Amino acid sequence: MNAQKRIVYLDMAKGVGIVLMIAGHLIGSLQSIDNKSWFSGVYQFIASFHMPLFFIISGILLWITKEEEREYGLIVCRKAKALLIPYLTFSLIYFVINVCTCILHPELLAFSDLWKFFIYSITFRGVSVLWFLPTLFFGEILFLWCRKRLDDVCLTGLFAVTGFLMLFLSPVFGQEVWEGSLGMMALGAVLQTMARSLLSCTLLLIGYWAAHVIGTGEKKSIPGFLVGAVMLVACGILCFQNGSVDLNYMVFDHFLLYMGNACLGSFGVILICKNMFCSRLLLFFGVNSLVIMATHMEFKVMLHTIQFSYWLNRYVTRAKELVLFVTMAVLITVMEAGIVFVYNHYLYFLIGKKRPVK
């Protein structure tokens, strides 16, 4: 969707999602430095829905844009340009970074570990956060292929069943056997890519049908905002009944409870964004979510932010904790703004975009 046709509240919801992703990764890193009592609870809440949020938003957009009415070959080409080109370019950048790490800091990463990163990249299992891009690509093209051929009932039944299969399949990927050899690692990576893509179809379907109710209008209402807030609170309560989850590694604990929390949290955020004032900051994070997702960890943005913030905090005498986290938020925003500017204006071809209009 071009800038004129973008739906503001969905971009803001994506912005919330990417902010939650950064916060979750930040908490994961800080736990080894200064593990505060509330870290675990906040991380559990974030992980319960922040990645499903992106798939559900994508499902809503598939309905709004009537994507299934396009010629299928064109769909695949468009999706590949938008998702696989960034996946391949960032995978190559990550690989170069890892090679440099092996040379400069062999105590952190051995050359033998590069095989794992290579296998994960070529099988679309994905290194670090990049797993999301091929999962969304394969999920969307499979969903749209089925949408073109199946009626509403069959489509819903198919992806309800495949989603439920994750209840039985997800524990398989936690077995140590997949790390036994390069061949088993490659096989496990391919199977995990397929399983995550099937699950993404279920989440896409949820967003696709929900779009009929949510709609494309920008009209705001207090009841809509309150419903969203209640859903988000309900997710915050129920997520502690399920424990730690991770969509990347297919860890769901109680799968049906995971899906329930995913829907509550995701639609809570979407309804709140639909019925609140427009936030330029959330729009920035949402519109540029792909670049921010791919760079905030592997480009050492988060690492340097943590190091500088703790150094600066030594000279703070009051409200040290508040100042620490505000400093981190400001630094990450400023650094990511610079990276986004470079990609949008000079490296746009690496993320599947056209030359910007001057």
Side-chain angles (χ1 to χ4, degrees), residues 220-238:
K220 306 182 187 308
S221 71
I222 294 178
F225 181 92
L226 293 176
V227 169
V230 169
M231 294 177 78
L232 207 54
V233 170
C235 174
I237 295 172
L238 291 175

Side-chain angles (χ1 to χ4, degrees), residues 192-208:
Q192 193 163 17
T193 299
M194 294 170 60
R196 285 190 310 214
S197 298
L198 281 174
L199 179 58
S200 75
C201 287
T202 306
L203 295 168
L204 288 169
L205 178 72
I206 292 171
Y208 188 84

Side-chain angles (χ1 to χ4, degrees), residues 187-345:
L187 176 61
V190 170
L191 293 175
Q192 193 163 17
T193 299
M194 294 170 60
R196 285 190 310 214
S197 298
L198 281 174
L199 179 58
S200 75
C201 287
T202 306
L203 295 168
L204 288 169
L205 178 72
I206 292 171
Y208 188 84
W209 291 135
H212 293 71
V213 178
I214 296 175
T216 60
E218 299 288 343
K219 185 178 179 180
K220 306 182 187 308
S221 71
I222 294 178
F225 181 92
L226 293 176
V227 169
V230 169
M231 294 177 78
L232 207 54
V233 170
C235 174
I237 295 172
L238 291 175
C239 72
F240 296 111
Q241 304 301 315
N242 195 32
S244 296
V245 296
D246 193 320
L247 181 54
N248 180 11
Y249 294 99
M250 305 289 285
V251 177
F252 305 121
D253 204 359
H254 302 290
F255 181 74
L256 295 180
L257 189 53
Y258 172 82
M259 292 298 289
N261 284 329
C263 291
L264 284 171
S266 297
F267 288 116
V269 168
I270 291 170
L271 287 174
I272 288 174
C273 289
K274 189 176 191 298
N275 294 286
M276 65 177 282
F277 63 90
C278 177
S279 167
R280 288 186 175 273
L281 184 60
L282 288 180
L283 275 177
F284 165 77
F285 278 99
V287 172
N288 301 292
S289 57
L290 190 155
V291 173
I292 296 172
M293 176 198 72
T295 60
H296 74 279
M297 287 182 66
E298 301 303 324
F299 282 33
K300 311 303 180 186
V301 170
M302 201 168 67
L303 174 63
H304 294 312
T305 292
I306 292 172
Q307 291 175 340
F308 179 82
S309 298
Y310 271 98
W311 172 81
L312 183 65
N313 205 243
R314 293 185 301 174
Y315 304 99
V316 176
T317 58
R318 296 183 180 180
K320 290 177 70 70
E321 189 170 303
L322 176 62
V323 172
L324 177 68
F325 293 121
V326 169
T327 303
M328 289 182 182
V330 172
L331 282 178
I332 289 176
T333 301
V334 171
M335 285 193 284
E336 284 298 339
I339 293 173
V340 164
F341 178 84
V342 171
Y343 267 93
N344 285 344
H345 289 80

Side-chain angles (χ1 to χ4, degrees), residues 51 53 133 137 144 150 169 185 215 230 266 336:
M51 290 314 299
L53 171 63
L133 298 176
F137 170 75
L144 291 170
L150 300 177
L169 292 178
M185 188 184 297
V230 169
S266 297
E336 284 298 339

Side-chain angles (χ1 to χ4, degrees), residues 27-218:
I27 288 173
S29 298
L30 292 177
Q31 282 178 322
S32 60
I33 302 172
D34 183 16
N35 192 9
K36 300 185 183 299
S37 58
W38 51 270
F39 276 178
S40 178
V42 173
Y43 184 86
Q44 211 164 309
F45 172 65
I46 291 173
S48 69
F49 73 91
H50 80 295
M51 290 314 299
L53 171 63
F54 290 102
F55 292 106
I56 289 174
I57 290 173
S58 296
I60 294 173
L61 288 172
L62 290 180
W63 181 81
I64 291 173
T65 58
K66 303 186 185 303
E67 196 76 6
E68 71 272 12
E69 296 179 3
R70 301 177 187 270
E71 194 271 322
Y72 189 69
L74 179 61
I75 291 174
V76 174
C77 290
R78 290 176 67 249
K79 298 297 180 185
K81 182 179 179 181
L83 296 170
L84 291 190
I85 288 179
Y87 172 78
L88 294 173
T89 57
F90 278 116
S91 293
L92 180 59
I93 293 171
Y94 284 14
F95 192 77
V96 172
I97 291 174
N98 285 327
V99 170
C100 293
T101 302
C102 289
I103 296 172
L104 300 176
H105 300 284
E107 72 281 4
L108 299 178
L109 188 66
F111 273 102
S112 58
D113 293 327
L114 293 179
W115 280 109
K116 180 178 181 180
F117 297 137
F118 179 72
I119 289 172
Y120 276 13
S121 295
I122 63 173
T123 58
F124 297 103
R125 163 67 178 80
V127 176
S128 186
V129 297
L130 295 184
W131 67 270
F132 171 77
L133 298 176
T135 298
L136 182 59
F137 170 75
F138 291 119
E140 286 194 336
I141 63 172
L142 175 59
F143 178 87
L144 291 170
W145 186 87
C146 294
R147 170 76 278 196
K148 284 178 169 290
R149 289 160 176 79
L150 300 177
D151 60 28
D152 294 350
V153 175
C154 292
L155 184 76
T156 302
L158 172 64
F159 291 125
V161 170
T162 56
F164 189 73
L165 283 176
M166 295 304 107
L167 175 65
F168 306 100
L169 292 178
S170 57
V172 175
F173 299 108
Q175 304 298 317
E176 294 182 2
V177 65
W178 303 112
E179 301 293 325
S181 66
L182 293 179
M184 291 300 294
M185 188 184 297
L187 176 61
V190 170
L191 293 175
Q192 193 163 17
T193 299
M194 294 170 60
R196 285 190 310 214
S197 298
L198 281 174
L199 179 58
S200 75
C201 287
T202 306
L203 295 168
L204 288 169
L205 178 72
I206 292 171
Y208 188 84
W209 291 135
H212 293 71
V213 178
I214 296 175
T216 60
E218 299 288 343

